[in-house]
Amino acid sequence: ALKKGGRARTMRFLGIDYGERRIGLSYGDELGVAVPLPAATEATAEARLARVVQLARERRADALVVGYPYNMDGSVGFKAREVDAFVE
């Protein structure tokens, strides 16, 4: 929890699991409970991104948490580079 004006402030998170055709989503609320949300499965990448932005605004997310897919040996593979491009 962050402190604002001497009071503890909880945060809300939007979890993102990026995929080329679908984006998995979850929401972490003020109680610290993460719940799944319907995936963004719109036909275009632009529409999927617009859905993520819409949810972040609707849920008043303070931060985005994006999953980062490492290979089994800990190295960064092509899927992780796709996530890097999405985040930028």
Side-chain angles (χ1 to χ4, degrees):
L2 296 177
K3 295 230 179 207
K4 185 174 185 177
R7 296 182 310 175
R9 178 177 166 254
T10 57
M11 293 183 67
R12 294 175 295 269
F13 298 91
L14 184 65
I16 299 171
D17 185 15
Y18 175 77
E20 243 182 276
R21 297 188 187 268
R22 72 186 276 127
I23 299 174
L25 299 164
S26 63
Y27 175 70
D29 65 13
E30 294 89 348
L31 300 175
V33 177
V35 294
L37 298 172
T41 58
E42 288 74 8
T44 66
E46 293 80 15
R48 289 188 295 277
L49 181 57
R51 178 70 179 134
V52 171
V53 170
Q54 175 190 9
L55 275 172
R57 287 182 178 149
E58 285 175 2
R59 300 281 179 150
R60 296 187 325 227
D62 297 302
L64 304 177
V65 179
V66 181
Y68 200 71
Y70 287 100
N71 291 323
M72 293 298 288
D73 65 0
S75 65
V76 174
F78 75 96
K79 282 294 182 190
R81 286 191 280 280
E82 286 179 7
V83 171
D84 288 338
F86 171 75
V87 168
E88 288 178 14

